[in-house]
C-alpha cells in the first residue's frame, strides 16, 4: 500500500517528531498554517474518519488522548484547534487519518 504517512511511520520519509507512543505518532506539518501546526496520526492505517467503527475506535481514542498532552507540551495553554479533513469536499490530501493541531496565535472564527 502506498501511503505517505505510513512511509513516515516507517522512517522512509523524514519528519520532525513531536510525540510518539505505541499507538500514536505526531510530527510537524510540512506546510504550517499557524505558528504551531502538528499532525497526529494513529500508527494503524485508517484512510480517514470515515473508516472508524466501534471495533477500531480504540486506535482513534489513543490519538485523541494524546492531543491535549501534545498541545500542553507545545505551550498552547491559551487554546488551539483540532481539525480532521475527510474526503474531497473536506480537502483531505493524505489518505491516512490525521488530526491537525493548530495554535500559537489567535485563530479565525470561521472554519471554512
Ligand atoms: P490534509 O489536507 O488534511 O490531508 O492534510 C495533509 C497535511 O499533510 C498537509 O497540511 C500537508 C502535510 N504534509 C503533506 N506531505 C507531508 C510530508 O511529507 N511531511 C509532513 N511533515 N507533512 C506533510
Amino acid at each position: 500500500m502506498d501511503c505517505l504517512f505510513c512511509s513516515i511511520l516507517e522512517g522512509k520519509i523524514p519528519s520532525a517528531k513531536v510525540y510518539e507512543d505505541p499507538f500514536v505518532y505526531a510530527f510537524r506539518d510540512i506546510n504550517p498554517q499557524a505558528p504551531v501546526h502538528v499532525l497526529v496520526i494513529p500508527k494503524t492505517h485508517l484512510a480517514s474518519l470515515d473508516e472508524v467503527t466501534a471495533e477500531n475506535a480504540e486506535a482513534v481514542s489513543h490519538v485523541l488522548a494524546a492531543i491535549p498532552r501534545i498541545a500542553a507540551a507545545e505551550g498552547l495553554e491559551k487554546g488551539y484547534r483540532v481539525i480532521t479533513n475527510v474526503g474531497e469536499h473536506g480537502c483531505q490530501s493524505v489518505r491516512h487519518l490525521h488530526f491537525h493541531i493548530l495554535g500559537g496565535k489567535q485563530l479565525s472564527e470561521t472554519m471554512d
Side-chain angles (χ1 to χ4, degrees), residues 4-5 27-30 39 85 91-94 98 100:
L4 176 66
F5 288 173
F27 55 104
R28 297 198 188 283
D29 194 290
I30 204 167
L39 300 174
N85 294 324
C91 294
Q92 183 184 7
S93 60
V94 179
H98 54 282
H100 298 255

Side-chain angles (χ1 to χ4, degrees), residues 59 78 81 108:
K78 292 184 86 172
R81 181 169 291 156
S108 69

Side-chain angles (χ1 to χ4, degrees), residues 5 12-14 28 33-34 37 46 51 60 68-69 74-75 101 105:
F5 288 173
K12 294 178 182 165
I13 296 173
R28 297 198 188 283
Q33 308 286 316
H37 188 169
L46 296 168
E51 290 196 350
V60 184
R69 284 184 276 158
E74 292 290 316
I101 301 176
K105 68 172 185 179

